[in-house]
């Protein structure tokens, strides 16, 4: 693990055991057949988030949809089990990886997310589970179709000719932001290609924000896929200043969307923030670092996402590197292998705990571990 030690049950039990009295230990030993052990994970959800609001008002549609999503992920884990597949089976883009075999479950998940159905079927056939192909594809398409219906119904007349929202979730917010704040967004209900709720992110530069242009200012360092063209000119206020490389975007590129949030690093100082923004500028923007998402890192093959260089530049790597070089780790390490996804960035604001309870007869003992301490706080979160 890079940062957070996820507690293993044996280690946790050993730590708890050391805290018991000799009398309590003997009680457990004498009644071993009757001992009950319970585990419980918990996260602190922002009450202003979409899921938090849904739970508060009793709207279970979003929660049900999350259950559908995590249900298919568990199905993939059950299908893959402890099996592995040779890297050669994954495609030519993985041939330079210095391992021979990889676990099946994350491979199935990767090909499902990217909808490379022929490759998914090939892997299933290799492990003797080809009969699962139709179910996996149907469940994934059903999940996406359900979300698309929700999105299209909600967007309606708010869409402009380019398919973006014409009305921002919040206007003229740039003047309220702090130098180095991190913005995340998603123009769909869910960012299924990667994971979770968010699909894109960047780091805000106070110096580049203009009181004249306000949220149309090109003031967010990030990176976008596409083809680089020196003669390119943005056509609307949600386009980046260039495609295919590290770029600058407007705040409207984040607020004219389905969801939007601003994350503020803890232990913040203006001096550290200036250095973080400068790192984003000099490492990525000034060098026109080419955009490339290392999809193999979704299944833990390689780890350029944390190398703090311009190798394999993508949107949230820009923000992650900028702050990591200045002492703040934005990677919550709870999604998508070694990629630093937008959900990892948002997850850096959520406290995670793990509780172990042992009980026998009339006696019980409970201990809670903090498995992730937030490194950011959510300043703003809006959604449609």
């Amino acid at each position: 693990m890079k940062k957070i030690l996820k507690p293993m049950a044996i280690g946790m039990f050993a730590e708890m055991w050391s805290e018991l009295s000799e009398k309590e230990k003997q009680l457990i030993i004498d009644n071993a057949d009757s001992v009950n052990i319970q585990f419980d994970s918990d996260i602190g959800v922002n009450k202003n988030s979409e899921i938090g609001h849904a739970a508060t008002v009793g709207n279970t549609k979003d929660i049900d949809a999350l259950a559908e999503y995590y249900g298919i992920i568990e199905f993939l884990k059950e299908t893959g089990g402890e099996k592995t597949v040779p890297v050669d089976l994954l495609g030519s883009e993985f041939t330079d990886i210095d391992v021979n075999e990889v676990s099946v479950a994350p491979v199935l998940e990767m090909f499902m997310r990217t909808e490379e159905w022929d490759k998914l079927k090939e892997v299933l056939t290799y492990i003797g589970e080809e009969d699962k192909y139709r179910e996996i594809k149907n469940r994934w398409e059903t999940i996406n179709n359900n979300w698309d219906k929700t999105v299209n119904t909600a967007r309606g007349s708010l869409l402009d000719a380019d398919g973006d929202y014409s009305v921002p979730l919040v206007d003229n917010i740039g003047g309220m932001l702090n130098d180095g704040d991190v913005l995340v967004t998603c123009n769909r209900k869910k960012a299924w290609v990667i994971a979770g709720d968010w699909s894109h992110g960047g780091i805000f530069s106070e110096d580049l924000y203009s009181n004249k242009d306000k949220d149309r200012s090109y003031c967010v360092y990030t990176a976008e896929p596409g083809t680089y063209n020196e003669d390119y000119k943005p056509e609307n206020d949600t386009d980046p200043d260039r495609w295919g490389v590290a770029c600058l975007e407007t705040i409207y590129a984040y607020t004219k969307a389905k969801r939007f949030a601003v994350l503020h690093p803890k232990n913040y100082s203006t001096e550290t923030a200036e250095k973080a923004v400068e790192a984003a500028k000099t490492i990525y923007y000034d060098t026109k670092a080419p955009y490339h998402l290392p999809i193999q890192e979704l299944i833990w093959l390689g780890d350029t996402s944390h190398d703090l260089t311009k190798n394999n530049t993508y949107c949230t790597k820009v923000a992650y590197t900028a702050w990591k070089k200045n002492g703040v780790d934005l990677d919550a390490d709870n999604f998508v292998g070694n990629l630093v996804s937008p959900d990892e960035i948002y997850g850096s604001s959520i406290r995670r705990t793990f509780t172990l309870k042992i009980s026998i007869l009339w006696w019980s003992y409970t201990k809670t571990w903090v498995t992730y301490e937030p490194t950011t706080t959510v300043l703003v979160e809006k959604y449609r």
Side-chain angles (χ1 to χ4, degrees):
M1 289 297 300
K2 299 182 292 298
K3 180 173 184 288
I4 305 302
L5 279 177
K6 295 181 179 177
M8 301 300 291
I10 294 176
M12 294 176 69
F13 185 82
E15 184 177 338
M16 177 184 281
W17 185 261
S18 68
E19 297 176 359
L20 301 179
S21 68
E22 292 302 317
K23 184 177 179 179
E24 289 171 324
K25 292 178 182 178
Q26 193 60 51
L27 176 65
I28 294 172
I29 293 171
D30 292 343
N31 297 275
D33 292 341
S34 302
V35 172
N36 181 41
I37 298 177
Q38 295 174 281
F39 301 92
D40 185 33
S41 297
D42 191 28
I43 61 172
V45 178
N46 178 9
K47 66 180 181 180
N48 294 319
S49 70
E50 190 168 359
I51 295 299
H53 179 71
T56 301
V57 301
N59 175 9
T60 61
K61 288 178 64 177
D62 285 344
I63 298 171
D64 288 345
L66 281 177
E68 289 178 15
Y69 171 67
Y70 287 111
I72 185 62
I73 299 304
E74 288 303 312
F75 182 73
L76 295 180
K77 290 178 181 178
E78 292 173 6
T79 300
E82 300 297 322
K83 299 173 184 175
T84 61
V85 292
V87 172
D88 294 344
L89 197 65
L90 306 186
S92 59
E93 64 268 36
F94 298 99
T95 55
D96 59 345
I97 303 300
D98 191 25
V99 295
N100 297 319
E101 299 270 332
V102 291
S103 297
V104 169
V107 171
L108 295 176
E109 183 178 347
M110 176 180 69
F111 288 147
M112 181 186 71
R113 291 182 189 281
T114 56
E115 299 186 351
E116 296 177 81
W117 301 118
D118 288 343
K119 290 184 178 180
L120 178 78
K121 191 171 187 178
E122 186 178 5
V123 172
L124 288 170
T125 301
Y126 180 86
I127 64 172
E129 298 282 359
E130 59 268 27
D131 59 315
K132 304 289 180 61
Y133 169 76
R134 183 52 56 187
E135 180 175 358
I136 293 171
K137 186 177 181 182
N138 287 345
R139 289 177 67 174
W140 181 253
E141 290 177 344
T142 298
I143 289 170
N144 275 324
N145 288 338
N146 287 343
W147 280 124
D148 286 340
K149 289 176 183 176
T150 304
V151 172
N152 293 334
T153 301
R155 295 172 87 177
S157 61
L158 293 175
L159 292 174
D160 61 21
D162 296 304
D164 295 316
Y165 285 93
S166 56
V167 178
L169 283 161
V170 57
D171 206 0
N172 297 330
I173 194 174
M176 301 167 53
L177 300 181
N178 306 281
D179 198 29
D181 279 349
V182 178
L183 282 61
V184 292
T185 189
C186 187
N187 220 11
R188 297 185 63 192
K189 187 74 171 180
K190 296 287 170 187
W192 294 118
V193 174
I194 301 179
D197 297 324
W198 308 98
S199 63
H200 186 57
I203 180 171
F204 172 74
S205 169
E206 188 175 48
D207 285 346
L208 295 179
Y209 179 78
S210 163
N211 286 325
K212 176 184 177 182
D213 295 329
K214 298 188 183 301
D215 288 2
R216 291 185 176 86
S217 307
Y218 280 88
C219 56
V220 182
Y221 287 109
T222 183
E224 285 278 10
T227 302
Y228 176 70
N229 180 355
E230 289 188 0
D231 298 326
Y232 161 80
K233 300 293 182 184
E235 296 181 357
N236 58 59
D237 56 18
T238 58
D239 285 340
D241 68 340
R242 58 197 190 191
W243 295 98
V245 294
C247 59
L248 281 166
E249 287 180 323
T250 68
I251 295 173
Y252 278 153
Y254 296 80
T255 57
K256 288 187 175 183
K258 176 71 184 174
R259 320 164 66 87
F260 164 70
V262 178
L263 300 160
H264 182 68
K266 292 189 173 183
N267 302 318
Y268 178 92
S269 74
T270 55
E271 181 181 0
T272 304
E274 287 175 4
K275 291 179 179 178
V277 173
E278 183 66 16
K281 176 180 182 295
T282 57
I283 297 173
Y284 297 104
Y285 189 80
D286 290 350
T287 62
K288 296 181 180 178
Y291 180 97
H292 183 256
L293 181 67
I295 192 65
Q296 70 273 14
E297 294 181 18
L298 173 68
I299 53 175
W300 296 278
L301 291 178
D303 189 11
T304 59
S305 293
H306 298 90
D307 65 8
L308 309 186
T309 74
K310 64 178 183 179
N311 293 333
N312 292 329
T313 297
Y314 55 96
C315 62
T316 39
K317 183 179 179 180
V318 174
Y320 166 79
T321 299
W323 275 109
K324 182 64 174 177
K325 274 187 167 290
N326 291 280
V328 179
D329 191 347
L330 300 179
D331 184 5
D333 195 28
N334 59 340
F335 276 105
V336 291
N338 284 330
L339 291 177
V340 183
S341 74
D343 273 88
E344 309 281 10
I345 302 291
Y346 183 84
S348 68
S349 67
I350 298 174
R351 191 173 191 259
R352 303 201 297 266
T353 61
F354 195 95
T355 299
L356 174 61
K357 179 181 179 180
I358 183 168
S359 59
I360 182 172
L361 303 175
W362 65 90
W363 173 88
S364 67
Y365 190 88
T366 302
K367 184 175 177 65
T368 298
W369 287 259
V370 175
T371 57
Y372 183 80
E373 196 64 60
T375 60
T376 65
T377 56
V378 177
L379 290 188
V380 180
E381 182 167 352
K382 300 288 184 180
Y383 52 88
R384 301 182 202 271

